[in-house]
Amino acid sequence: QVQLVESGGGLVQAGGSLRLSCAASGSIFSIAQTAWYRQAPGKQRELVAVITSRGIANYISSVKGRFTIYREDGKNTMYLEMSSLKTEDTAVYYCNLLYAGRDYWGQGTQVTVPS
């Protein structure tokens, strides 16, 4: 059983920075693909960034150069470093782990960038 717990969300002014964390339980973290998704009000959940077990990262175009995804397998933790935040980054951010065809999700953490 895998449990994912996000933290680090909050309210930040445009242009500011935040770091989200996702702590995972269980023993598969280091061999699983992990990702950050987000869901803005009235919109579908979208993939923001993904990182493989080998550390290969990919991002959606709107966050490239502003967000960095990385992980510390020894701590079973994944991070999303966000900078130059924009109002359109406002959303609930979810941690995701994919292993053996099964998705695991955290409960989400709110990021708000007021206009």
Side-chain angles (χ1 to χ4, degrees):
Q1 185 72 14
V2 175
Q3 291 187 328
L4 304 172
V5 179
E6 302 98 333
S7 60
L11 187 148
V12 60
Q13 296 302 314
S17 300
L18 275 177
R19 188 180 76 163
L20 306 182
S21 300
C22 171
S25 65
S27 59
I28 63 172
F29 182 84
S30 64
I31 57 175
Q33 175 178 287
T34 55
W36 287 98
Y37 285 72
R38 68 185 179 187
Q39 187 166 18
K43 295 188 177 181
Q44 290 189 330
R45 190 175 297 190
E46 66 171 351
L47 175 65
V48 176
V50 59
I51 185 166
T52 70
S53 58
R54 296 185 178 184
I56 299 171
N58 279 291
Y59 304 87
I60 57 172
S61 58
S62 60
V63 307
K64 277 184 181 178
R66 300 189 299 120
F67 290 12
T68 301
I69 186 172
Y70 61 101
R71 47 195 282 173
E72 293 186 274
D73 288 351
K75 295 182 178 180
N76 270 20
T77 303
M78 177 180 65
Y79 304 92
L80 185 67
E81 194 82 51
M82 305 185 293
S83 62
S84 302
L85 282 161
K86 305 176 181 180
T87 55
E88 51 264 42
D89 295 318
T90 295
V92 178
Y93 284 72
Y94 296 91
C95 173
N96 170 269
L97 184 148
L98 175 65
Y99 180 74
R102 181 174 176 179
D103 278 299
Y104 299 86
W105 295 94
Q107 81 289 350
T109 186
Q110 176 72 46
V111 173
T112 302
V113 187
S115 56

